[in-house]
Amino acid sequence: LRVLKPGGGEPVVFDKVKGAYAWDVDGNKYIDYIGTWGPAIIGHADDTVLSKIKETMEKGTSFGAPGILENVLAKMVIDAVPSVEMVRFTNSGTEACMGMIRLIRAYTKREKVIKFEGCYHGHADSFLVQAGSGVATLGLPDSPGVPKAATSGTLCASYNDIESVKKIFEDNKDEIAGVILEPVVGNSGFIPPTKEFLQGLRELCDQNGALLVFDEVMTGFRIAYGGAQEHFGVTPDVTTMGKVIGGGLPVGAYGGKKEIMEMVAPAGPMYQAGTLSGNPLAMAAGIATLERLKQPGTYEQLDKMAGKLVNGILDAGREAGHEVCGGHISGMFGFFFNKGPVNCFADAAKSDTEKFAKWHRGMLERGIYLAPSAYEAGFMSLSHTEEDIEKTIAAAKEVFATI
């Protein structure tokens, strides 16, 4: 995705970022709607965040021991996310998901898990089965190097299709450790769930003694301060997080009910560790970012700006005679070259990816930096202005007229 292979053309190599903008090594300026794939929710290189990082750096970059900032950020996460009573920090979303799957298997004493076609949970072997993100973009159904044994316990259902999940439970009675999903898909493009689908998963897990896991690496603190579980009112047993909670520095976390999390060492027998987990720089950046997000009107602003952007682009596309659909929730958005509706990865895969690639290249040439894949969501920041949105819509109209 970083090399623009899906859309063609030469990769853009960045030199610096600030606010809603990025500059490449040739001095070209872009309005950035990737936001380092989600973390830059308040804008790149925010002055307050940088100040906190610099202040913390003077005390050291890593302790190899507990630090007070871990406790501060942990409490903020616990206070915000409905499912989280205890939390463990890691260095990335992939690490968080690795710890999570080991945890739910240890807690339930079962091995099989259900995931969904097109949902991406990091590059650990267990999850590279019908995954989204770069795997979908590059046309890789699985990844070479992943042994069959690593994925034999991973079963795939169709997103927004509760009957496909019921059948897997019926065919694997008392063997399912958990159901894992992106509560809003961002790695097959932007695909929201129905609330009934999420409620159905909650009920199925309860009925079958399985754990429900929301992978909120992308949606956590992005679509609401308490994540997708706050937005939809459905509470999982375990949650994975990342991106926003590190304020642009490497971070991940998984958390859940106390009785489940107490399985993790040193409180319990399930081992997971990381040398740089909870490092003070990431914790400081995360704290400063969450403090900004707690301010009144934050998510209303993200919602307003993302809505104006998406509706403007969709209107421009339809006026030019193209089949397009899309939507947004707060500061997360996406669209498809597809008449829609798109409710799952199979629907997304019907999109005209060649037309998207041409459109993306045209937007890039006009200084608009969007995800170079039809299978990725976009991200609004608090730094984007009305002028940025209007300029982007104007560019979209120009490009739609050329393809």
Side-chain angles (χ1 to χ4, degrees):
L1 295 179
R2 295 171 190 260
V3 299
L4 302 189
K5 185 174 181 180
E10 294 298 316
V12 177
V13 180
F14 282 172
D15 176 56
K16 62 180 181 179
V17 291
K18 187 69 176 178
Y21 313 114
W23 288 263
D24 66 23
V25 292
D26 295 318
N28 298 305
K29 181 182 178 182
Y30 303 87
I31 302 173
D32 179 18
Y33 292 105
I34 295 180
T36 188
W37 300 101
I41 189 168
I42 64 176
H44 289 295
D46 177 78
D47 290 341
T48 300
V49 174
L50 291 181
S51 176
K52 292 295 183 182
I53 293 171
K54 292 172 183 175
E55 177 185 321
T56 304
M57 191 184 302
E58 293 297 322
K59 300 179 181 180
T61 59
S62 179
F63 300 150
I68 189 64
L69 296 183
E70 291 176 81
N71 291 344
V72 174
L73 185 56
K75 188 175 188 307
M76 294 178 80
V77 170
I78 291 167
D79 288 346
V81 184
S83 66
V84 178
E85 297 175 355
M86 295 180 72
V87 63
R88 168 63 64 90
F89 289 113
T90 64
N91 293 297
S92 69
T94 289
E95 280 189 34
C97 288
M98 289 169 65
M100 169 274 292
I101 194 170
R102 186 179 301 162
L103 171 62
I104 66 172
R105 284 170 167 164
Y107 182 78
T108 61
K109 297 181 174 61
R110 300 173 179 179
E111 292 189 5
K112 293 181 179 180
V113 296
I114 299 174
K115 71 175 289 290
F116 294 87
E117 297 166 2
C119 282
Y120 179 73
H121 307 291
H123 59 80
D125 287 357
S126 298
F127 295 117
L128 289 180
V129 180
Q130 298 181 50
S133 191
V135 178
T137 300
L138 300 176
L140 304 173
D142 298 292
S143 175
V146 176
K148 291 181 180 179
T151 58
S152 61
T154 305
L155 309 174
C156 287
S158 179
Y159 200 82
N160 274 323
D161 181 357
I162 198 67
E163 294 302 319
S164 71
V165 185
K166 285 182 181 178
K167 187 174 190 312
I168 293 175
F169 270 113
E170 290 168 0
D171 292 345
N172 298 271
K173 189 170 177 57
D174 299 327
E175 294 183 271
I176 305 297
V179 176
I180 304 159
L181 75 155
E182 293 180 69
V184 177
V185 180
N187 288 291
S188 298
F190 174 82
I191 306 175
T194 64
K195 185 171 182 178
E196 293 73 21
F197 175 63
L198 297 182
Q199 290 173 330
L201 294 178
R202 178 69 277 173
E203 292 167 7
L204 279 175
C205 286
D206 290 343
Q207 293 164 7
N208 290 277
L211 300 181
L212 179 61
V213 181
F214 281 6
D215 181 351
E216 296 228 41
V217 168
M218 191 173 286
T219 55
F221 296 90
R222 161 60 65 178
I223 68 171
Y225 191 70
Q229 53 200 267
E230 176 192 301
H231 178 82
F232 291 104
V234 177
T235 304
D237 300 296
V238 178
T239 300
T240 57
M241 294 160 281
K243 296 188 184 290
V244 169
I245 65 167
L249 272 68
V251 76
Y254 61 101
K257 296 177 181 178
K258 184 177 180 182
E259 64 180 281
I260 299 172
M261 291 301 295
E262 284 183 335
M263 287 291 296
V264 182
M270 190 220 89
Y271 187 74
Q272 180 270 318
T275 299
L276 298 174
S277 296
N279 80 83
L281 300 186
M283 300 297 98
I287 292 166
T289 298
L290 297 197
E291 286 176 343
R292 173 66 182 86
L293 293 176
K294 287 173 68 176
Q295 295 179 17
T298 293
Y299 291 93
E300 291 81 1
Q301 179 180 341
L302 290 168
D303 183 70
K304 174 187 174 184
M305 299 294 275
K308 180 175 181 178
L309 175 71
V310 171
N311 291 331
I313 289 175
L314 293 178
D315 288 346
R318 289 164 183 155
E319 287 170 8
H322 301 288
E323 290 187 339
V324 290
C325 66
H328 78 287
I329 299 177
S330 188
M332 181 176 173
F333 66 87
F335 38 83
F336 299 94
F337 279 79
N338 182 326
K339 67 180 180 180
V342 175
N343 294 313
C344 62
F345 179 67
D347 293 339
K350 298 173 184 175
S351 301
D352 189 335
T353 54
E354 290 187 9
K355 185 177 285 187
F356 170 84
K358 293 176 182 177
W359 183 79
H360 177 271
R361 174 54 53 180
M363 294 294 281
L364 193 64
E365 290 170 352
R366 289 162 176 78
I368 311 298
Y369 192 69
L370 294 155
S373 166
Y375 301 120
E376 292 287 351
F379 303 100
M380 184 63 63
S381 82
L382 294 173
S383 293
H384 285 92
T385 67
E386 295 277 355
E387 184 181 351
D388 294 331
I389 306 302
E390 291 166 3
K391 181 178 179 180
T392 303
I393 294 170
K397 288 181 179 179
E398 288 183 15
V399 180
F400 277 127
T402 68
I403 59 174

